[in-house]
Amino acid sequence: MTQAPEHRPTEPRTPVPLAPDHAASPPASGVLVGVDLRGIQAYVYSGRRILDAVGRAALVAELTDTSDPVHGVADLVPPDSLVLRDAGGALTLVVADPAVARDFTGRYTRRLRDRAGDLIPVVAHVPYGPGAVPVPGEPALPDLDTALAQLPVRLRRARRHMSALHTPAHGYGITAVCSVSGAPAESVDSSRPLGDRGRVHERVAADVARARGIGRRWHRAHSDAWLAGADSADGSELALPMEVDRLGRDHGEVSRVAVVHLDVNGLGTILGEYRERAGDPAVPGSGALAQRALSTRIAGLTEGLARALVRAVAATVRAEPGRAPTVPGAGAGGPLTLDHEPPGPIRLPVRPIVVAGDDLTLLCDARLALSMVRYALEWLDADPEAIGDPVDPRVALHRALARARVPGRTVAAADGRRHTTCVPTVGAGIAVQPVGAPLSLGYDLCEAMCRLAKARRLASAATDPTAAQEHVVAWTTRFDGVDRVVRRFELALRAERPRTALPMTGTAFAGFLDRYLSAHGGLVADGDTRHRGWLVSALVPLLESGADPAPELARRAHVTGNPVALPEGWTPGELLDAVGVMDLHVDPGLSAALDPRLPAGGGPR
């Protein structure tokens, strides 16, 4: 969820024409109503099933969708009101007077409590304009722009005062408990028998059952949109998984799933700068209307990236008669055996989840995680002018920001060519955990790694301006709690000889994969198990202790009669990072299967 940016006046500018559907003029006086939903991520990822996460993410989207009178909240929006924002888990609108504001707030929070009681609404009313009655203890505000500047302050203040309606009310345990939330079970999910007892179904609370129903509807819609035209190399029918167990299990092997969080760097700054540059100073609130249009573009970028990742993985699937379908690839972890129950579709080992429009999380087989992040960064770095298609979300967002003269960034392609794009960079956090572990743990870990990576990026940008134009990536393969993982990570960074090279910029990340984990020249490129055993049992403990590895390298060279085969210019931190994931990495050649520089509608090669 993106926090509302502060409203800061800037130098005079030429306003960018607004889209026709955002050209309405705000009233000279009224009440600005802001709703911010708290606890979105904890709510979405509180279960163990993909279906639960998809359904709850869909509920968040529908509870701030003012364009859908059936599934959204369009029926609650008062007549003659003006919606300024309805994305990112937030809702902002202008209504005529305090009575209308109170009525809308009452009906909206009632709807929220009925459909998603675990979400906590934070609400602020900001009267403005001539004749407006100010909130007691607050100054009178002259216009809408001033009210918009005050809204984040009022919302932060409201967060400190919980309503009694959202205080947990614990009752007596007189019934069965929900297997997801622990609340009293009010229904059963007939699609989920418990263990081998086919007639005993999973007991769930009403809100869980409701979210799963919505999740199935959204799952079908996502499958239709993301898999349209995305056939495997041999034309097999494909599907997205609805269960974590379907992501990556190989018999006789330890199964791991990765939770990958991709978050736009500096999104609040981008939205705020665009609002200032695109708005008309003579029309109060025009900047907020323009920002709403830009939020739609960013949501389109998120959906486009999710679709591109699904199609890229789909293009690598191989299926032969009489054999299990696979995703072949180079690396110690491959190939990946896919879930398939003939004559049904082949389930892909990836499931994107889009939350609040601008928040993309990937659930995938852990062996694909690093390759998928690399593909995502390449897709975002593609040259918008070379793509050319105005329907492509990268081109649409680039042109919208360029028209408002929002500064872009310079990207150096692998062939040395440079181009400028206004598509923002992202921070990527990856957490690897066993199949069956709570999704909330994986999300908390990957979000923590993403937050650490973005913090390091900001610190580096203070001394190196080029760092602000880079993506940033960090990961962890440990799952013993967020605090312990973060503490161990910070200790490794502060060591005299750093025991990790994380976080890495996007450029450094691509180089790391090529040097340490590639099929040609990587740590285990030749499949030498003796070399791998020496790495794990001898060299890694030395590097983790901070000792000088030179004597051991000399000893190893003497024993084998050859120089130690390590990547040129290796560092202890990079080597330790590589050893930690070398058995959990497969490179299926996503970019070769589906060029990330193609327009969004392009198909496999």
Side-chain angles (χ1 to χ4, degrees):
M1 182 173 60
T2 306
Q3 183 175 344
E6 297 288 350
H7 185 76
R8 301 185 309 275
T10 58
E11 68 279 4
R13 69 278 185 192
T14 303
V16 177
L18 297 177
D21 57 332
H22 297 289
S25 297
S29 62
V31 178
L32 180 67
V33 179
V35 180
D36 203 357
L37 300 182
R38 290 183 59 190
I40 289 180
Q41 309 304 340
Y43 171 71
V44 170
Y45 296 105
S46 60
R48 295 173 183 264
R49 300 184 64 190
I50 293 177
L51 181 61
D52 289 327
V54 172
R56 293 182 175 212
L59 264 175
V60 171
E62 292 181 352
L63 286 169
T64 54
D65 185 357
T66 60
S67 64
D68 187 349
V70 178
H71 303 296
V73 294
D75 59 313
L76 302 182
V77 177
D80 301 324
S81 62
L82 179 64
V83 178
L84 300 179
R85 186 184 183 191
D86 56 353
L91 182 61
T92 305
L93 67 159
V94 178
V95 299
D97 54 54
V100 175
R102 288 192 295 270
D103 179 69
F104 167 76
T105 300
R107 293 190 297 127
Y108 180 82
T109 53
R110 180 74 258 179
R111 173 77 58 85
L112 183 67
R113 190 167 179 82
D114 288 342
R115 300 187 66 185
D118 289 338
L119 287 175
I120 301 174
V122 180
V123 184
H125 294 175
V126 187
Y128 72 91
V133 179
V135 174
E138 301 288 350
L141 302 178
D143 53 36
L144 179 57
D145 281 342
T146 309
L148 285 167
Q150 186 66 21
L151 181 61
V153 178
R154 301 279 180 92
L155 286 172
R156 285 195 294 269
R157 190 178 304 158
R159 287 190 189 101
R160 297 196 292 265
H161 302 284
M162 286 279 290
S163 167
L165 291 176
H166 289 280
T167 301
H170 300 289
Y172 294 103
I174 58 174
T175 184
V177 298
C178 172
S179 62
V180 176
S181 65
E186 304 161 88
S187 181
V188 294
D189 185 349
S190 59
S191 69
R192 293 279 290 182
L194 294 177
D196 299 330
R197 298 172 294 173
R199 296 185 178 182
V200 180
H201 300 115
E202 185 180 25
R203 295 180 287 267
V204 295
D207 65 320
V208 173
R210 184 184 304 111
R212 287 181 177 178
I214 296 172
R216 291 184 178 94
R217 171 165 51 84
W218 277 61
H219 180 81
R220 290 191 294 269
H222 285 161
S223 297
D224 293 342
W226 294 343
L227 288 172
D231 296 325
S232 65
D234 57 2
S236 300
E237 184 184 359
L238 303 173
L240 296 175
M242 294 178 66
E243 304 289 344
V244 176
D245 286 354
R246 307 291 189 180
L247 283 175
R249 277 196 185 277
D250 281 334
H251 292 293
E253 302 289 339
V254 177
S255 300
R256 293 284 187 269
V257 64
V259 187
V260 183
H261 181 60
L262 299 172
D263 192 37
V264 176
N265 290 323
L267 180 57
T269 301
I270 294 171
L271 290 172
E273 188 170 359
Y274 183 82
R275 178 171 66 183
E276 297 297 342
R277 293 175 180 270
D280 186 345
V283 181
S286 60
L289 289 170
Q291 181 178 293
R292 183 188 182 195
L294 185 68
S295 295
T296 303
R297 299 288 190 197
I298 293 172
L301 182 76
T302 305
E303 288 278 346
L305 177 54
R307 181 171 183 261
L309 288 166
V310 169
R311 289 167 58 85
V313 174
T316 66
V317 174
R318 300 291 184 270
E320 299 178 7
R323 310 182 85 178
T326 62
V327 172
L336 279 69
T337 303
L338 304 184
D339 182 71
H340 184 216
E341 298 174 0
I346 299 170
R347 294 183 180 89
L348 295 178
V350 59
R351 182 49 166 101
I353 298 176
V354 180
V355 180
D358 57 7
D359 190 343
L360 176 60
T361 300
L362 304 172
L363 303 177
C364 65
D365 189 304
R367 294 168 289 182
L368 287 178
L370 298 181
S371 295
M372 292 189 69
V373 169
R374 181 175 188 171
Y375 186 87
L377 304 189
E378 292 175 349
W379 189 85
L380 292 168
D381 283 344
D383 184 358
E385 298 303 326
I387 296 172
D389 183 3
V391 179
D392 189 289
R394 295 165 291 182
V395 177
L397 179 60
H398 167 80
R399 292 180 178 177
L401 291 170
R403 281 195 301 269
R405 298 189 300 280
V406 175
R409 58 188 177 91
T410 301
V411 176
D415 58 6
R417 297 181 183 179
R418 294 178 175 271
H419 63 267
T420 299
T421 178
C422 292
V423 176
T425 62
V426 298
I430 307 170
V432 176
Q433 65 181 38
V435 172
L439 292 180
S440 57
L441 172 62
Y443 180 83
D444 289 345
L445 284 169
C446 72
E447 197 274 335
M449 299 310 294
C450 182
R451 186 171 59 248
L452 284 171
K454 296 178 73 166
R456 286 294 296 267
R457 172 183 172 272
L458 286 177
S460 299
T463 57
D464 180 11
T466 61
Q469 300 188 7
E470 283 271 11
H471 305 285
V472 62
V473 184
W475 64 82
T476 180
T477 58
R478 297 180 178 271
F479 46 89
D480 51 346
V482 174
D483 292 340
R484 290 184 178 182
V485 169
V486 170
R487 190 181 310 115
R488 189 182 297 111
F489 181 79
E490 291 175 342
L491 289 174
L493 278 175
R494 292 198 299 264
E496 183 178 353
R497 293 183 179 181
R499 298 189 298 275
T500 181
L502 300 173
M504 299 179 185
T505 65
T507 302
F509 175 63
F512 169 84
L513 295 181
D514 290 337
R515 293 171 58 215
Y516 290 89
L517 300 176
S518 69
H520 306 287
L523 290 179
V524 289
D526 55 1
D528 187 346
T529 56
R530 291 184 178 181
H531 179 65
R532 181 193 179 282
W534 170 76
L535 280 173
V536 174
S537 63
L539 186 58
V540 166
L542 278 175
L543 298 179
E544 288 179 337
S545 67
D548 183 3
E552 175 59 24
L553 296 176
R555 186 199 67 80
R556 177 68 175 175
H558 177 73
V559 169
T560 61
N562 295 302
V564 177
L566 292 176
E568 183 179 353
W570 68 277
T571 65
E574 289 179 340
L575 189 68
L576 288 172
D577 292 332
V579 170
V581 296
M582 66 182 181
D583 293 331
L584 283 172
H585 175 64
V586 173
D587 181 9
L590 297 179
S591 296
L594 183 65
D595 194 334
R597 298 168 295 181
L598 289 175
R605 291 178 176 178

